[in-house]
Structures are given as structure tokens and as C-alpha cells.
Amino acid sequence: MKPYPFTAVVGMPDLRLALVLSSISPAVGGVLVRGEKGTAKSTMVRALAGLLPGVDVVDACRFSCDPVEPDPACPDGPHAEGSPAHRRPARLVELPVGAAEDRVIGSLNLERALADGVTDFQPGLLAAAHRGLLYVDEVNLLHDHLVDTLLDAAAMGRATVEREGVSVSHAARFVLIGTMNPEEGELRPQLLDRFGLTVEVASSRDPELRVEVVRRRLAYEADPDGFAGQYAAADAELAADIEAAQRLLPSVKLPDEALRQIAEVCASFEVDGMRADIVTARTAVAHAAWAGRTEVTTDDVRVAARLALPHRRRRNPFDAPGISEEQLEQALQDAEPEGPGPDDDGPGSGAPPEGGDAPPPSQGGQEPSGGGSGGDQKPVGAGEAFRARRFEVKGTGEGAAGRRSRAITDNGRTIGVQPAGTKDGHPHLLATVRAAAPHQRSRGRSGAGLVVRPQDLRFARREGREGNLVLFCVDASGSMGARQRMHEVKTAVLSLLLDAYQRRDKVGLVTFRASGAELALPPTISVDAAASRLDGLATGGRTPLAEGLLEAARVLRIEAVRDPLRRPLLVVVTDGRATSGADAVQRARQAAGLLAGTVTSVVMDCESGKMRLGLAAELADHLGAEHVPVAEVAADTLAGAVRSRISGKAA
């Protein structure tokens, strides 16, 4: 069955252009496609592979070496000049979210290395993607260390595997394409910056376009080959244009005037580092080649900036990506020379080129709070987030890689070894040699090599950090809204959300007010969604503390089934009052008793004023939780307290 044709996809001109430019010049750095589910992101990426020119590869080379310029360090080489070769189509290699590191970068056969003294390297997905496309669907759900590995290989053009003193390196030049749904969480800014281009996609609200999308999809499912045949000529023409642009690319010149425009634009948008300038320049050159020009113009710089800069303007995880078209045009005009060049369209020469609507402008930060889900008082905005204390889950877990609590992970410091079959990881050379050494005589060792059996293999046991489920249980009753307390509370919770983002946690939000509790945000890795719900939180009514704790317990039970390895941290944000019903205090104590000893908890005490009842501290005792006044959530506050205690003892 033939894949869905590239030219049959309706709309999305920005994505179409970004993919084409990355195909023309892989040095651009690939494309990150951001968008809601069901917008044909994966369909278009998979269709792109059919448009790329075929590649000549050396026969029997597992690393797809070019017969004209083979990799001198190829593990299957060295390849002699004029080695037999064949032509094959460009590959699209898909990397699954749950792939292990060895599957991605390759692995070494430790047994053969010890016994025969040879390096037996089994190539991974990076080798398979060399000179083709590497596609990562839901790249934001991939483990951070794997994303780092991918982006390093894409930037350097090589992949290196090092295991216990044995090192293997091979060429890995590919076009990296990642797709993600921002609702499921964001990539770290450092990782966002490593993608060359980014495109925001969304489904059209035009009924006619939606009808055409459904019509074409149903036609393809009814007769895939026949449908693909209808667009074969258009796909072939587009493929020929891409190949022509690739041939023209080395001849395109980047004049100083265009370089000054690029520098002016990047400085105007205050992007960090110099990667933005380099990527914008490469993209402008690729766009000029795509347009059939041999010199970069203002039009090329404009298009390049719209694709290369939006994701580099984020200052924190709660900022929306995007650039202002007015600011872009002003920066281009500011960098214009006194007189327009012969190939330049001049400043303000019209609307942006064809390629779709520009990404929506973003001013950074959060939207001002307004509306809300109802309540006796309007929502109160949060202040600027600060660096929060790190709260850890007790014990040692085995959850997803992160930066909060201690855990047994694939990466980290080695704390011991374990035999094969328990929980395999990276082989431990010294422990394997020790296990095999006592048996050499009985195994009839005669040469220099070590006789190793599978039962001798030992693997490193490593301790690192894991990400946790941080469930916020927030009191939204009238007592919390009094004396402008909610501003301070929201600022502290926002700071803890930022901390959760940096530590790769999953977050959820339970609120309670009036006569009950609700799950305002089911557990998700999208901390900006939690920040949005928090921003619209209104206060009012009585304090059903028991209902809030019971709802939190219910959510934790469900998540224990869905994600059993991710250990929870419950953060209860309240002043400790329980005023919903005659037996509210007793029911709250009973609810706390159900959670005590089963989950690590923190009670953030929001009580203020001179007359304090200490109810939040009592709640912490019933929960077996750490009691933290809201003013002591900041890490700097904790450090100051420690310094004061040390100074007091010294005095």
C-alpha cells in the first residue's frame, strides 16, 4: 500500500515549506512540528520521504557510506575507492517513544570484545537514518537523555558509542523531524533551541476545507494505490524541484546586507546565543535556492525568521512561542542599506510570501487573569515565580527519568552490579571479568582472550533521579481569598509548578471550595496547562477539607494503576480550616488518616496574621507530612534560615 501523497495534504503551507527547506539543506537542523492531535502532522512527514532523491551506498555497508566520499572511520570500512555500490531510496526511520538508548545509538558486544579482542558493533537507528530522515513522533514524551543524543548527532553529523573504554564512531547525517502536542507537555528550552525550524499547525475552521480533508482521506482508504496515482505527477514534479534546489544550493551567495538583516532581526527579538543567527542564515540560503535565486534577498530572510525564531523567544515554560510580524518588518527595515540592492524587493514591499499565515504574535508571559470557573470572588493573579525548594519523595524508586527523587535509573552514578536477567542496563566490564576469571582453567582457556559465558555478564546498577507525580490539592474557599492571601499562594504554587517542569514531573490539580472538590486538571506533563488553571482559580464559600483530601486520594489510586512506577508527592495548600458541615474537622482528620503513611505529603501553610490557630500544622501531623509555611517555599528563604542557624551556633 502506497503512503498518502505529500501533495494531497490540504492546507498547512508553512509546514510544507519548512519540510521542503530542511530537505534541501539538512544543515538547517530539522523541523519541530507543534500542533493539536489529528492535524496530519505524521501523515505529511511520512509522505516526505517519497519526494527525496535516492542515495548511492556502498554494497554491504550497514552505515550507508557514500561510494564517492566514504566515512574513513566507518566500522564496516575502510572502503576502497571504487567499491561496488548500489542506489536505494532515501529512508524514513521512525524512533518509538519507548526506545532504549542502545537501540538508538547502537550497542557493543562485550562478550566478543573480551573473548576475541574485536569490536563487534551493532548499529542502531541513527545509523539506519544516515543520509535520510529520522522521525520522532511525540518527541516531547521522549526521555531527555535520548533527545540530547539525537540532537547532538544531528548537530555534529556523527554518533559515538562508548562502553567501558571501547569507542565506536560513525557518520549520522539526517534530517531530524519531531512532532508534538503541546497539551502533553513542552520540551526544555535548551532542546527547543536545537531544532532548526518550528511550525505551529492547527485544524482549519473553514467547513469547505474540512470537507475536502475528509473526502480525500476516505478516497485514500477506499483505494490507496489509485488515490496515490492521481497525485503521482504532482509529487514527481515537487521531487524534481527539490533535487534542482539541492544542486543550486552551493551556488547561493549570502551578501553582507542579508547578514546584517539577520543579525538585526535576531537582536530585535532578543534570542539567546548565536544558533538563531546561524539557522536563520542557512534557512534563507535554502529558501533562495528553492526560489531559483543565486543570492539571498530580504524576502528569504523574512521567511527564514518566521520559521527559525518563534520557539527561541520562550523565556519560561509558561510563555507561548511566536513572533510579532510588525516587529519583524521593523527590524528588516532598520537593517536596510541606504539604497536597495538590485535583487532586493526593498523594505515593506508587501505581505509575507506565500506559505501560510504567520505564527500568532506573542508578548510572552501569561494572559491576565479573568473570568474563572465561578465563585464569590474574582480570580487573583500570581506574582513573578521564584526558585522553589525541592521536595523529595521518600525512599528510592524506579520511575521515569527526572530530577526530583532518588531512583534506580539507566543513567547516574554506579552503586553496584547485578547479574544478567535481573534488570539489564549497561555492561560492567570489571565485574564481568571478575565473574569469568575463576573459571578460565575449567573452560580450557589456551589463548590470550578471556573465555566468557553469558552467565558471567554483569551490569551496572545506577542511581540517579526520577520524575514524580506532584498532585496539588488547593484550598479555594473564602478564607483563602481573605486579606489578599491568594496572590501569595498562587505565586508559591506557580513557583512549584516551574520547579516541577524543570524536574520533569507530572502534575495534577485538585481544588476544593463551597460544598465539594473537583479535579481541575487530570495528571499531565503539561505544567503550563496547570498554570493556566491556577491563573483562573476563583475563591469563595466554605472549606470542605475532607472532600479535597478524599478527591486527592481517589486521583492517586487511579494514577497508581495507570503509571505504577511514578511515585506521587501530594502538596496540600490550605490554612487548615475545615468549615463544611458540623463534623467537618473530624471528617478531615479521618481523610488525612487514610493518606498517612501511603504517600509523601507536604502541607503548605497559608495562614497569616497575628492570631494563628495552627490548624495546618495539625493537619500535617495527621498526614505525616512536612509542614511548610507559604513564606518558606522559596529556596533562598531556606538557605537564609540555614545560614542564620549556623551563625547562631558559631556565636
Side-chain angles (χ1 to χ4, degrees):
M1 185 175 70
K2 293 185 178 181
Y4 196 91
F6 188 85
T7 54
V9 178
V10 178
M12 295 195 292
D14 276 356
L15 176 55
R16 190 187 311 271
L17 179 61
L19 293 176
V20 166
L21 294 181
S22 291
S23 301
I24 293 171
S25 176
V28 164
V31 182
L32 175 64
V33 188
R34 299 164 47 92
E36 58 196 22
K37 52 187 176 294
T39 50
K41 302 186 297 293
S42 301
T43 298
M44 185 169 278
V45 172
R46 293 189 176 102
L48 178 67
L51 303 179
L52 301 183
V55 293
D56 294 322
V57 298
V58 175
D59 288 349
C61 178
R62 298 172 297 167
F63 301 87
S64 302
C65 276
D66 187 342
V68 178
E69 296 182 5
D71 179 13
C74 176
D76 284 353
H79 302 296
E81 185 176 351
S83 298
H86 65 279
R87 192 169 184 82
R88 63 161 176 79
R91 287 176 180 163
L92 170 67
V93 176
E94 298 192 34
L95 193 155
V97 171
E101 185 179 14
D102 287 349
R103 181 70 185 98
V104 176
I105 63 175
S107 60
L108 292 169
N109 189 324
L110 183 59
E111 187 176 348
R112 286 204 63 191
L114 291 174
D116 305 328
V118 298
T119 301
D120 182 12
F121 178 70
Q122 300 300 318
L125 296 176
L126 294 183
H130 179 45
R131 304 175 68 194
L133 302 173
L134 181 61
Y135 172 47
V136 187
D137 193 15
E138 305 293 353
V139 65
N140 52 326
L141 302 183
L142 200 65
H143 287 310
D144 283 351
H145 70 281
L146 289 183
V147 178
D148 287 330
T149 299
L150 290 180
L151 296 176
D152 285 342
M156 302 300 295
R158 300 198 67 82
T160 302
V161 182
E162 296 189 6
R163 291 288 185 271
E164 305 294 344
V166 182
S167 178
V168 174
S169 176
H170 65 83
R173 293 185 299 275
F174 49 82
V175 178
L176 178 63
I177 303 175
T179 60
M180 61 174 285
N181 183 351
E183 295 177 356
E184 297 173 338
E186 288 285 357
L187 281 171
R188 289 184 287 135
Q190 298 92 327
L191 302 182
L192 277 174
D193 184 55
R194 297 297 290 274
F195 278 96
L197 311 178
T198 187
V199 178
E200 294 276 345
V201 297
S203 57
S204 174
R205 299 298 182 258
D206 184 346
E208 292 300 323
L209 285 179
R210 296 175 74 94
V211 167
E212 185 61 23
V213 169
V214 176
R215 181 184 293 118
R216 293 189 185 187
R217 188 68 200 185
L218 294 178
Y220 172 73
E221 292 175 355
D223 182 11
D225 294 341
F227 182 83
Q230 298 176 27
Y231 293 89
D235 272 8
E237 182 180 356
L238 181 58
D241 291 341
I242 291 175
E243 191 169 4
Q246 289 177 335
R247 291 194 299 266
L248 182 61
L249 184 69
S251 304
V252 178
K253 297 180 181 178
L254 183 64
D256 289 344
E257 292 81 3
L259 272 176
R260 277 193 290 271
Q261 284 185 320
I262 292 170
E264 183 72 32
V265 168
C266 292
S268 173
F269 285 107
E270 300 181 346
V271 295
D272 295 329
M274 294 300 298
R275 185 174 285 115
D277 302 63
I278 296 171
V279 171
T280 305
R282 288 172 175 168
T283 307
V285 171
H287 187 266
W290 176 240
R293 293 190 292 268
T294 57
E295 186 168 310
V296 172
T297 68
T298 298
D299 182 50
D300 302 315
V301 175
R302 180 186 294 109
V303 172
R306 289 174 55 240
L307 295 174
L309 299 185
H311 59 302
R312 293 185 165 89
R313 295 198 64 230
R314 287 173 60 108
R315 290 290 183 255
N316 65 64
F318 310 131
D319 288 344
I323 61 174
S324 166
E325 283 291 314
E326 293 78 9
Q327 186 177 353
L328 173 59
E329 290 300 325
Q330 185 61 50
L332 290 172
Q333 292 182 30
D334 292 344
E336 281 286 349
E338 292 295 330
D343 293 329
D344 200 293
D345 296 330
S349 58
E354 290 186 8
D357 295 333
S362 169
Q363 302 302 323
Q366 297 180 16
E367 295 291 332
S369 60
S373 56
D376 299 334
Q377 300 181 30
K378 293 182 179 179
V380 177
E384 184 177 354
F386 50 76
R387 187 168 68 91
R389 292 172 55 177
R390 182 178 72 189
F391 298 103
E392 293 189 30
V393 177
K394 300 174 183 177
T396 303
E398 296 182 356
R403 299 179 179 178
R404 181 171 299 277
S405 306
R406 293 173 53 189
I408 302 301
T409 61
D410 293 334
N411 295 280
R413 65 187 183 94
T414 301
I415 60 172
V417 295
Q418 54 195 4
T422 51
K423 187 181 179 183
D424 297 348
H426 297 307
H428 195 286
L429 178 60
L430 183 57
T432 300
V433 171
R434 286 176 176 171
H439 308 289
Q440 296 306 294
R441 181 175 298 177
S442 62
R443 293 174 182 174
R445 173 185 171 186
S446 58
L450 194 68
V451 180
V452 181
R453 297 286 185 264
Q455 61 266 28
D456 299 328
L457 292 177
R458 296 294 183 270
F459 294 84
R461 180 177 173 85
R462 300 174 184 268
E463 183 180 271
R465 291 279 172 178
E466 68 177 359
N468 298 108
L469 165 62
V470 182
L471 181 63
F472 293 90
C473 185
V474 180
D475 184 348
S477 64
S479 62
M480 293 290 291
R483 297 186 295 275
Q484 299 299 314
R485 180 183 306 173
M486 186 52 78
H487 174 78
E488 183 180 10
V489 170
K490 283 190 175 182
T491 302
V493 176
L494 183 68
S495 303
L496 289 173
L497 283 173
L498 180 60
D499 181 70
Y501 167 81
Q502 295 168 341
R503 301 192 186 284
R504 318 313 294 163
D505 291 321
K506 206 173 182 179
V507 296
L509 178 63
V510 170
T511 62
F512 55 95
R513 60 181 296 272
S515 60
E518 67 170 338
L519 179 59
L521 179 70
T524 174
I525 62 173
S526 179
V527 295
D528 49 345
S532 177
R533 302 294 173 87
L534 177 71
D535 192 51
L537 182 65
T539 59
R542 293 181 176 275
T543 310
L545 178 57
E547 284 72 15
L549 295 176
L550 291 174
E551 177 65 12
R554 185 190 70 83
V555 173
L556 293 177
R557 284 197 303 272
I558 294 174
E559 279 301 303
V561 176
R562 290 177 175 172
D563 195 355
L565 293 182
R566 191 179 288 269
R567 299 186 297 156
L569 172 66
L570 176 62
V571 180
V572 182
V573 184
T574 182
D575 56 9
R577 290 180 172 85
T579 60
S580 180
D583 57 346
V585 175
Q586 183 60 29
R587 287 190 295 107
R589 291 174 179 173
Q590 292 174 351
L594 296 175
L595 289 165
T598 63
V599 59
T600 301
S601 304
V602 174
V603 174
M604 197 168 84
D605 189 348
C606 304
E607 192 174 29
S608 60
K610 294 182 179 179
M611 297 298 295
R612 302 191 181 187
L613 303 178
L615 298 177
E618 292 182 15
L619 174 63
D621 287 339
H622 288 291
L623 279 171
E626 182 177 359
H627 172 250
V628 181
V630 66
E632 297 180 12
V633 172
D636 293 341
T637 304
L638 176 63
V642 172
R643 285 193 294 268
S644 298
R645 292 179 184 178
I646 293 176
S647 300
K649 291 181 179 179

